[in-house]
Amino acid sequence: MRTIAAETGLAVTTVSRALAEDPHIKAATRALVRAAADRQGYVPDRAAQRLRTGRTRVVQLLLNLDHEFLGVTHELIGGLSEALAGTGYSVTIFPDLIGEDRLARVRRIVETRLGDGVIFNRTEPFDPRVRYLLEQGFPFVSHGRTEFTTPHPWVDFDNEAFARIAVERLIAKGRKRLLMILPPANFSFAQHLRWGAVAAAKGAGIICEIPEAITLDTSERETIAWLRHRLSQPDRPDGIIGVGEVAAMAALAAISDCGLTPGDQIDVVAKRASAIFDLMRPRIDTMVEDLRLAGRTMGETLLRTMAGEDVSQLQVLHQPLIEF
């Protein structure tokens, strides 16, 4: 800072405040200091900043790496990075292993100050992570809703609408025996999918089968084996809803193994987040969940949360992009 001060003719304190983007320092002065800092190759010392400000300038993304979509990490990180560009914040992925103590990871982030805010997915209706973070007053955004009466920041995809539209699409194609594999029942989006599908099927006087033996988290091999068995029965489904790309591809594999053809004896409607189904034949009906948009929106929402905005205004529900 003394080197920059000598070069610019400014006081060291002015240089310090300009580098910290103090709005009370004129924009022209901040630009002058920034240019001098760039010429000198100045890079802030994060450890020193943390000691001085108590901030890490890090956002922790708690992410389950086994997902129903292909490229989910790439898309979420890409969108989140776009939102944080120019803010001085960086993103660190903190693996969220389903089946282990998910609250312990959040507690570790908060208690050891590993980040200034946290983002996580696969919420539960009364998610203990949300309860804990609300009690601690620690900034966060959940990718998914809860049923807490206390408002909190969230970004979600309208899975209820997706399931309803998928059922309606299959019915319009003359299908009467539908099947949809859900996520484990403890997750909020499993409930939303069930509500949408069951309500639409009931309204049309048909049944949407939801198997209990398998879920979205069942291995691909087990899922395909179960579907092959189910599709070989006389009352086999004639319409399948793929809640994610992996589940839809497993369904297509089982359909092919059973000698059936999508669009002929059976139809599939799938949710997708990548271009994978553009490369597959025969084509199936799809709806898009834009994960890059979700990542960008979660980053923007977290920044607004850390700035102290009213959390009751920080809830975003993205709609399916219909491609048929």
Side-chain angles (χ1 to χ4, degrees):
M1 288 188 187
R2 284 193 295 270
T3 303
I4 295 171
E7 180 180 331
T8 59
L10 298 169
V12 173
T13 53
T14 302
V15 170
S16 176
R17 292 170 62 192
L19 288 172
E21 297 293 332
D22 186 335
H24 295 99
I25 301 298
K26 292 181 180 179
T29 302
R30 297 201 303 271
L32 175 67
V33 170
R34 186 70 263 170
D38 290 342
R39 285 194 297 273
Q40 295 292 339
Y42 168 77
V43 177
D45 186 321
R46 285 191 178 272
Q49 286 184 332
R50 180 175 179 177
L51 287 172
R52 179 169 54 83
T53 66
R55 290 187 173 274
T56 64
R57 308 299 287 182
V58 171
V59 170
Q60 292 285 355
L61 175 61
L62 268 165
L63 191 62
N64 172 231
L65 301 180
D66 294 323
H67 208 275
E68 64 267 22
F69 290 117
L70 306 174
V72 60
T73 303
H74 169 77
E75 292 300 324
L76 285 178
I77 286 287
L80 185 53
S81 297
E82 289 172 7
L84 299 179
T87 66
Y89 278 95
S90 59
V91 184
T92 299
I93 296 180
F94 208 104
D96 179 27
L97 304 179
I98 302 297
E100 297 191 11
D101 187 348
R102 306 173 82 198
L103 178 57
R105 286 168 170 73
V106 171
R107 292 178 68 96
R108 182 181 171 194
I109 291 171
V110 174
E111 293 173 358
T112 60
R113 225 49 191 180
L114 293 177
D116 297 332
V118 61
I119 295 172
F120 52 89
N121 65 352
R122 286 209 164 191
T123 56
E124 300 174 18
F126 295 98
D127 200 301
R129 300 169 299 176
V130 171
R131 180 184 289 110
Y132 171 76
L133 290 165
L134 286 172
E135 291 172 349
Q136 296 297 315
F138 192 85
F140 74 96
V141 177
S142 63
H143 188 204
R145 287 164 281 173
T146 67
E147 294 183 16
F148 288 115
T149 55
T150 302
H152 66 84
W154 53 259
V155 175
D156 202 3
F157 176 80
D158 196 339
N159 280 290
E160 185 173 352
F162 160 78
R164 173 179 50 77
I165 295 167
V167 168
E168 292 170 350
R169 176 64 171 176
L170 290 169
I171 291 172
K173 289 189 165 190
R175 303 308 180 186
K176 299 181 183 301
R177 298 185 303 277
L178 310 186
L179 182 143
M180 178 172 64
I181 300 171
L182 287 183
N186 57 303
F187 296 126
S188 296
F189 76 123
Q191 296 186 5
H192 302 152
L193 288 162
R194 183 184 294 272
W195 293 336
V198 170
K202 184 177 180 180
I206 65 171
I207 294 175
C208 181
E209 178 184 351
I210 298 174
E212 296 183 1
I214 57 173
T215 72
L216 279 189
D217 290 350
T218 303
S219 72
E220 291 86 352
R221 179 175 295 182
E222 290 177 274
T223 299
I224 292 172
W226 188 93
L227 285 170
R228 276 202 302 259
H229 174 71
R230 184 68 187 88
L231 290 171
S232 67
Q233 296 173 337
D235 63 341
R236 64 169 177 79
D238 58 9
I240 296 179
I241 300 168
V243 172
E245 291 164 338
V246 175
M249 292 171 71
L252 290 170
I255 288 169
S256 177
D257 290 348
C258 291
L260 304 174
T261 303
D264 187 1
Q265 304 98 330
I266 191 169
D267 279 297
V268 178
V269 177
K271 188 204 300 183
R272 71 174 180 132
S274 72
I276 186 65
F277 291 115
D278 292 339
L279 307 176
M280 300 178 67
R281 298 294 183 274
R283 288 185 176 275
I284 61 171
D285 290 329
T286 59
M287 286 180 266
V288 175
E289 178 175 351
D290 192 334
L291 292 178
R292 183 168 289 264
L293 173 62
R296 186 164 61 249
T297 306
M298 287 191 290
E300 294 166 350
T301 303
L302 183 61
L303 290 172
R304 293 171 64 189
T305 300
M306 293 191 292
E309 291 193 30
D310 181 1
V311 296
S312 66
Q313 304 302 311
L314 299 178
Q315 287 103 27
V316 181
L317 184 62
H318 290 145
Q319 295 301 309
L321 174 60
I322 302 171
E323 298 189 315
F324 47 80

